[in-house]
Amino acid sequence: MTHRETKVLRVDSLARVEGEGALHLRLDGGRVTEAHLKIYEPPRFFEAFLRGRSHMEPPDITSRVCGICPVAYQMSACRAIEDACGVTVEGQLAALRRLLYCGEWIESQTLHIYLLHAPDFLGHDSVIDLARTHPAHVERGLALKQTGNAVMELLGGRAIHPVNVRLGGFHRVPAKGELRPLAERLRRARDAAEATVRWVAGFDFPDAGCDHDFLALAEPGTYAIGAGTPTAMPAPGSAGLPPDSDRALSLRTFPVRDFPEHVIETQVPHSTALHSRLDGGRHLTGTLARYAISGRWLPPDVLRTAREAGLGDPREGTVCRNPFRSIIVRAVEVLYAVGEALRLIDAYEPPPRPYIDVPPRAATGHGATEAPRGLLYHRYTLDAGGTVTDAALVPPTAQNQAAIEHELRRAVQHRLDSGGHPTDAELTALCERVIRNHDPCISCSTHFLDLTVERE
Amino acid sequence: MTVTPDPANPDPAVPVRRPELAVWKFASCDGCQLTLLDCEDELLGIAEQVRITHFLEASSAPGPGPYDLSLVEGSVTTPQDAERIRRIRAASRRLVTIGACATAGGVQALRNYADVAEFRAAVYARPDYIETLATSTPISAHVPVDFELRGCPIDRGQLVEVITAHLAGRTPDVPAHSVCFECKRRGTVCVTVAHGTPCLGPVTHAGCGALCPAYDRGCYGCFGPSDSVNFPSFIPLLRRDGMDTLDVVRVLRTFNTAAPEFDAESRKEARQ
Ligand code: SF4
Ligand code: SF4
């Protein structure tokens, strides 16, 4: 660029993301000197007021952190507290939890695909505008989303803040026959999910890559959802890796209880959300990371669809690092979740009791699960009577914030370098897209601190 | 496309316009506005009857107002938000709060019983970066509100009723009796009578369709107080079913903490 000027571009309210955030870009003579994703969502202090509550309460209370992924909060809370109490939920109760989580994945990922993200690719402001030009697609999306809601409603009572989850399992478990109508719906939804993959695979994708480390849970043999070991895949070129190798060989894992030592949160002045780093580096959690790490364990039919959609074959080490293509991966995950829900229903036998007992003890417990938008970690310390004395919640968006800011800087710089004089409106639209690629849930990114920071 | 006449502009000589709907967010989890997106069957129909001019979760093209109907989610927890709700009120012909946050301060109103400086220091390494009020207050503490829809989250059916009632210019038909009535209607066996499970149903506002008892658990009050709460006869029931003072305080202080009835009763209990 020839002209030299300093300008500040502000987008005061980001649209089509969950929660509220703003963006602050500083450009200095054709260079991006600052890209701040500002999260101005007011703090809600969950970690503070969880202290003093009974160990039975965090699943209900923390679900209110985020109405878009309440099951993720309930599941991470249950796992962490059960870990503290030395209890493991297995068998059909674990299967029902996975089924409930599949419902949330279907609902939340479809919401993002159709209502929040697709309008970007098709030049629309909202799903309502999109419905004018693509009515059949939007109706299919809404029906698919409704199927996810139906799973959550049957198992959880309602789709937002389900009431049926408790420590050790559920308040009530369904009889086998109760799940039958759900199976019917899911079978129909499979076509809609396949069509979704094909539809989004046909969008126009800007060339882009990202060089963050990936972090996701892994459960070898299956696509991790509600359990697994934190697993990191380093970015190509990092730490002595050949530039284009992204192989499974380079994966490193650590136990969930060591999460606080690996993922460190720090506070930055411009945001009520905390930034976190994985072993000192920038990392990304969520759809792209999950697919890179667990993709090879997808069932063959889902993998075939993914290959046809241009995602390559994760079993051969292909990794999708284009954040714009996350919409395809999300669609593949919906297809997987629909099939997985059907499999779980087919294999369902009602357990003898709806829950196992979780007697409290004085201990600290850790739990992590895969929220639709990434790894969600909880930690609780209980006293002998079961009162929570300390709590920490590390949501995916807080982990992704540094990576998103990095992508913002790169995307804007790339746009400036490619000449012309992009208008503010054009840059704004570009930045919004970059942010939306990661489905940030800003409402849940704002109330968290790993207290290890304070202890340092 | 059906166009509803604007009640404020009944002159048939003037071309009718679609009423403008806005959705606003304050401190909240987004769950109540998501309920609007969860009205899959009604969403496109609603969008035909109203112009959704401001709804950041769903649209990147906000309109400037004035708005015929503003739906407000979330509670007021910062000085800027206390200002913002005044501007929204001034730009809205009718203002309806959606959910426990907007109607009763929400779960974040738990700070009202604590030292917020300490809360801030517990959650943030640099508490000085964080601007927040010592309290989380409902919208009605700041501006006049035309209607309050309860629930954490709100019920989809009730939301559609509130929107259509507004379009038709009538009062929404949202009953104010307790969850117990809904259990009876649904034919659910009373969990308190049958199993001695503590249940807030008798003092909780209807709306959820008596969900929890149908799932074998007691109501925990997420729809807030019903219109007639009789705590003197209700609290002994909770105690009989095994709740001690702390349990009672905690269950009243959850999602509708700042609802006056729950707040007063929990303070009374806490003094014991
Ligand atoms: S009332 Fe409940 S569901 Fe609604 S925004 Fe507040 S926390 Fe979320
Ligand atoms: S029964 Fe009570 S706690 Fe359960 S959903 Fe209804 S109002 Fe909320």
Side-chain angles (χ1 to χ4, degrees), chain A residues 18 48 81 83 131 152 187 199 254 294 311 329 331 353 361 367 392:
Chain A
E18 287 132 8
I81 297 164
D83 178 49
M152 295 170 80
R187 266 189 279 278
W199 184 51
F254 53 85
S294 289
L311 290 177
V329 184
R353 283 184 62 205
R361 63 178 190 191

Side-chain angles (χ1 to χ4, degrees), chain B residues 76-143:
Chain B
V76 175
T77 59
T78 65
Q80 295 87 326
D81 277 355
E83 268 313 302
R84 186 161 62 102
I85 190 60
R86 284 196 191 95
R87 290 198 302 273
I88 292 171
R89 174 71 263 191
S92 310
R93 209 150 55 78
R94 279 181 68 96
L95 187 148
V96 169
T97 62
I98 52 171
C101 293
T103 301
V107 68
Q108 52 276 4
L110 283 167
R111 75 177 69 188
N112 299 3
Y113 304 94
D115 173 3
V116 167
E118 192 272 332
F119 264 31
R120 188 157 48 181
V123 179
Y124 295 97
R126 292 291 310 266
D128 48 314
Y129 292 166
I130 303 296
E131 202 173 337
T132 187
L133 293 170
T135 52
S136 164
T137 39
I139 301 301
S140 64
H142 301 264
V143 295

Side-chain angles (χ1 to χ4, degrees), chain A residues 158 163, chain B residues 179 204-205 208-213 218-223:
Chain A
R158 62 184 171 199
V163 299
Chain B
V179 167
T204 299
H205 198 283
C208 69
L211 216 45
C212 292
C219 167
Y220 57 87
C222 77
F223 272 65

Side-chain angles (χ1 to χ4, degrees), chain A residues 15-72:
Chain A
R16 276 188 286 129
V17 295
E18 287 132 8
E20 307 223 314
L23 173 71
H24 187 100
L25 269 186
R26 188 178 290 276
L27 314 179
D28 186 357
R31 303 245 23 107
V32 184
T33 53
E34 219 174 77
H36 280 166
L37 175 57
K38 179 175 157 61
I39 291 183
Y40 60 73
E41 171 105 5
R44 293 194 292 148
F45 299 118
F46 276 83
E47 289 157 321
F49 60 63
L50 281 167
R51 294 172 308 180
R53 308 296 297 205
S54 135
H55 76 307
M56 299 299 286
E57 294 181 89
D60 283 329
I61 292 181
T62 59
S63 74
R64 267 66 180 190
V65 171
C66 175
I68 290 101
C69 53
V71 171

Side-chain angles (χ1 to χ4, degrees), chain B residues 176-178 181 201-205 225-231 233-234 261:
Chain B
H177 52 234
S178 75
F181 283 82
V203 295
T204 299
H205 198 283
S226 66
D227 273 12
S228 54
V229 287
N230 183 351
F231 282 111
S233 59
F234 174 61
E261 298 86 339

Side-chain angles (χ1 to χ4, degrees), chain A residues 13-20 40-49 51-54 57 60-61 63-68 107 111 115-116 120 124-129 131-132 135 138-139 142-143 145-146 149 152-165 171-172 267-274 387 432 436 443 446-451 453-454, chain B residues 18 24-41 43-44 47-48 52 54-62 75 77-78 81 84 101 107-111 116 118-133 151-154 156 208 211-218 220 222-223 246-247 249-255 257:
Chain A
S13 318
L14 291 173
R16 276 188 286 129
V17 295
E18 287 132 8
E20 307 223 314
Y40 60 73
E41 171 105 5
R44 293 194 292 148
F45 299 118
F46 276 83
E47 289 157 321
F49 60 63
R51 294 172 308 180
R53 308 296 297 205
S54 135
E57 294 181 89
D60 283 329
I61 292 181
S63 74
R64 267 66 180 190
V65 171
C66 175
I68 290 101
E107 187 277 330
L111 169 81
L115 279 67
L116 311 183
D120 270 347
H124 286 289
D125 293 328
S126 72
V127 66
I128 290 157
D129 289 336
R132 286 188 241 286
V138 171
E139 271 165 35
L142 292 175
K145 178 167 165 296
Q146 221 173 16
N149 277 349
M152 295 170 80
E153 281 160 12
L154 192 113
L155 273 180
R158 62 184 171 199
I160 301 167
H161 309 324
V163 299
N164 193 23
V165 171
H171 290 279
R172 185 176 87 78
Q267 195 181 356
V268 291
H270 63 272
S271 174
T272 48
L274 299 159
T387 300
E432 287 206 328
R436 255 181 240 123
S443 49
T446 62
H447 355 76
F448 306 97
L449 175 69
D450 187 324
L451 293 172
V453 172
E454 285 195 314
Chain B
R18 282 184 301 159
W24 308 96
K25 176 186 158 67
F26 287 76
S28 70
C29 81
D30 277 38
C32 287
Q33 51 176 313
L34 177 63
T35 306
L36 184 59
L37 296 182
D38 274 354
C39 299
E40 290 92 356
D41 292 335
L43 186 64
L44 298 179
E48 271 179 16
I52 303 182
H54 188 279
F55 186 9
L56 279 182
E57 178 158 342
S59 169
S60 51
S75 63
T77 59
T78 65
D81 277 355
R84 186 161 62 102
C101 293
V107 68
Q108 52 276 4
L110 283 167
R111 75 177 69 188
V116 167
E118 192 272 332
F119 264 31
R120 188 157 48 181
V123 179
Y124 295 97
R126 292 291 310 266
D128 48 314
Y129 292 166
I130 303 296
E131 202 173 337
T132 187
L133 293 170
C152 178
I154 53 171
R156 195 151 62 199
C208 69
L211 216 45
C212 292
Y215 280 81
D216 287 348
R217 79 179 283 192
Y220 57 87
C222 77
F223 272 65
L246 255 180
D247 295 332
V249 171
R250 277 203 318 262
V251 76
L252 292 172
R253 290 185 181 170
T254 313
F255 306 113
T257 299

